Amino acid sequence: MTTQSTLPKEGGETGEPGIPQSSDGLKAGLKNRHLSMIAIGGVIGAGLFVGSSAGIAAAGPAILLSYVLVGAMVVFVMRMLGEMAAARPTSGSFSEYADRALGRWAGFSIGWLYWFFWVVVLAVEATAGADILESWIPAVPQWAWALIVMVVLTATNLASVSSYGEFEFWFAGIKVVAIGAFVIIGLLAVFGVLPGSDNPGSGFAHLTDSGGFFPMGAGAILTGVLMVVFSFMGSEIVTLAAGESEDPQRAVTKATNSVIWRIAVFYLGSIFVVLTLLPWDSDAIKNDGSYVAALNSIGIPNAGTIMEVIVLTAVLSCLNSGLYTASRMAFSLGQRGDAPKSFARTNARGVPVAAILASVLFGFVAVFFNYKWPDTVFAFLLNSSGAVALFVWLVICLTQLRMRGIILRETPDKLVVKMWLFPYLTWATIAMITFVLGYMLYKGGDPREQVLLSMLVAAVVIVIAVVRDRTRAKAGGLKDSVSGS
């Protein structure tokens, strides 16, 4: 049963002068500079820093093509999401669009799956941040650091949306400056023009001098795809945050149009620098990690500590955004009656307190599972959320196929961002995502387990959604018959 979900409308004023509030109760507390940095930082997760060395080991220089393939897929998905978000900015983003275009069951299912993904990420990132902090200050145990980090960022999100935006502005800013400097300094060293560099500056030779560009064969590109695809999750956060910005349509349009260069510079640019500074099979990349090894090859002192600071910043940024994203999805589900009504209530500052506390509570529980049962309960949570990113992207594609017609019929003047070569490129993206899921099943091991467990969780959520819709429909029919008799 497809019904129109509640979407934000033009609002009046809050009790605070100059701060507009949409009719859903959220305040437009995010400035354009916040949205710009959230958009840029959204594609830079901790996975880029800590996971790239495994991808390089699996595919060699050909990992660049893996990043190109996944990057293209993300660009297309973001273009589709941007088309819908620019026309109808809302805190529920793709969940509300799926609700409208595919049916209540779709919006309910993908909304809860997305929430589940991010609250598990909270536990992963809190633990990663605690590991780094404990190595700096061993007197404080790891569990205490995880608790401190979660409490501080929960307080930030509870304060106001502008507090979240300000924290994320600086977190993302540090990541952007760090990677930008890394790419520039690295390229200077690659061509032997960096003063005082320890690197001999071999140009592009390292791309082919250790077994060629495809040392593991062309098929390794697909293996690389599986290893890098999840580091791109987070690009869509800007479309959820746009609903609380001063000019949602402008923010989404700008973020969508800039996603290509963001992926090109931050992902392709930085990995390209690593692969041209060092041979892909260098022991330094395996032992120290790709970025630390690259900085050491240039002669940057204390490279390990520098990267720890940057990775900690990326972890805190991911935690901050993860809590924000989970709470806003919970808020949207509450608005549509798909979650407790308390989730849809906001305080005087326009903050959905219950939605934030519920999200962080599950995050705290997941952190406990990670310490108590890391190889059983937490491993299940981790694997059962592993393929949710791909499910979300697939639903965005399917939703856009229907939403284009709805937007053209109802508000054609708001179709300011258009998916290229519609519908052919949309279908091609659906095929790409389906192929990746199929290859994960074929590959076996952890990828297969992630897909199967994620499909199991998704099936349970969908069954709940369908049963719930049918129960509501019967109750509604019974009520109509009673009132008519």
Side-chain angles (χ1 to χ4, degrees), residues 65-135:
L65 297 182
S66 302
Y67 276 103
V68 168
L69 286 174
V70 178
M73 191 163 67
V74 172
V75 167
F76 297 153
V77 170
M78 277 298 294
R79 186 74 184 185
M80 287 180 254
L81 185 53
E83 175 181 298
M84 297 182 287
R88 296 169 180 259
T90 167
S91 61
S93 189
F94 51 83
S95 175
E96 291 203 26
Y97 308 143
D99 193 311
R100 177 73 195 277
L102 304 178
R104 288 295 302 274
W105 67 271
F108 176 96
S109 302
I110 205 63
W112 277 114
L113 285 173
Y114 191 68
W115 179 86
F116 173 61
F117 172 86
W118 279 110
V119 291
V120 172
V121 166
L122 289 180
V124 174
E125 300 296 343
T127 304
D131 283 340
I132 295 173
L133 290 167
E134 186 190 29
S135 70

Side-chain angles (χ1 to χ4, degrees), residues 93-341:
S93 189
F94 51 83
S95 175
E96 291 203 26
Y97 308 143
D99 193 311
R100 177 73 195 277
L102 304 178
R104 288 295 302 274
W105 67 271
F108 176 96
S109 302
I110 205 63
W112 277 114
L113 285 173
Y114 191 68
W115 179 86
F116 173 61
F117 172 86
W118 279 110
V119 291
V120 172
V121 166
L122 289 180
V124 174
E125 300 296 343
T127 304
D131 283 340
I132 295 173
L133 290 167
E134 186 190 29
S135 70
W136 293 350
I137 309 176
V140 180
Q142 188 190 44
W143 67 265
W145 278 122
L147 181 66
I148 291 168
V149 167
M150 291 278 277
V151 168
V152 169
L153 292 180
T154 299
T156 300
N157 276 265
L158 286 172
S160 68
V161 68
S162 60
S163 297
Y164 155 73
E166 200 62 35
F167 266 71
E168 191 56 25
F169 176 82
W170 291 106
F171 285 153
I174 292 172
K175 292 189 293 185
V176 169
V177 170
I179 294 188
F182 175 81
V183 171
I184 293 171
I185 293 172
L187 286 176
L188 291 175
V190 165
F191 295 109
V193 294
L194 181 67
S197 173
D198 294 342
N199 195 286
S202 56
F204 302 140
H206 288 320
L207 294 176
T208 55
D209 63 6
S210 297
F213 191 75
F214 300 97
M216 302 294 189
I221 296 172
L222 295 178
T223 303
V225 164
L226 301 188
M227 303 185 80
V228 306
V229 66
F230 302 108
S231 64
F232 282 84
M233 191 65 169
S235 307
E236 70 291 331
I237 291 175
V238 67
T239 63
L240 281 81
E244 294 176 81
S245 68
E246 298 168 337
D247 189 351
Q249 191 177 74
R250 179 176 175 272
V252 169
T253 303
K254 186 177 178 181
T256 304
N257 290 336
S258 66
V259 71
I260 296 176
W261 73 258
R262 286 186 276 132
I263 289 175
V265 172
F266 299 130
Y267 279 87
L268 291 174
S270 61
I271 298 300
F272 177 80
V273 165
V274 171
L275 290 167
T276 47
L277 284 174
L278 293 162
W280 70 272
D281 55 355
S282 166
D283 289 337
I285 292 179
K286 299 174 187 175
N287 299 330
D288 302 328
S290 53
Y291 289 85
V292 173
L295 291 174
N296 282 331
S297 76
I298 298 173
I300 303 293
N302 302 311
T305 303
I306 292 171
M307 282 311 304
E308 279 189 338
V309 172
I310 296 172
V311 170
L312 179 62
T313 302
V315 164
L316 294 176
S317 171
C318 192
L319 261 172
N320 195 37
S321 289
L323 181 53
Y324 171 84
T325 305
S327 65
R328 284 344 184 242
M329 186 57 73
F331 171 81
S332 176
L333 289 166
Q335 272 197 313
R336 288 173 277 152
D338 292 337
K341 291 181 180 179

Side-chain angles (χ1 to χ4, degrees), residues 424-443:
Y424 308 108
L425 203 49
T426 299
W427 280 111
T429 308
I430 291 172
M432 289 169 65
I433 297 171
T434 304
F435 176 80
V436 171
L437 287 168
Y439 187 72
M440 289 176 73
L441 287 171
Y442 167 79
K443 185 71 176 175

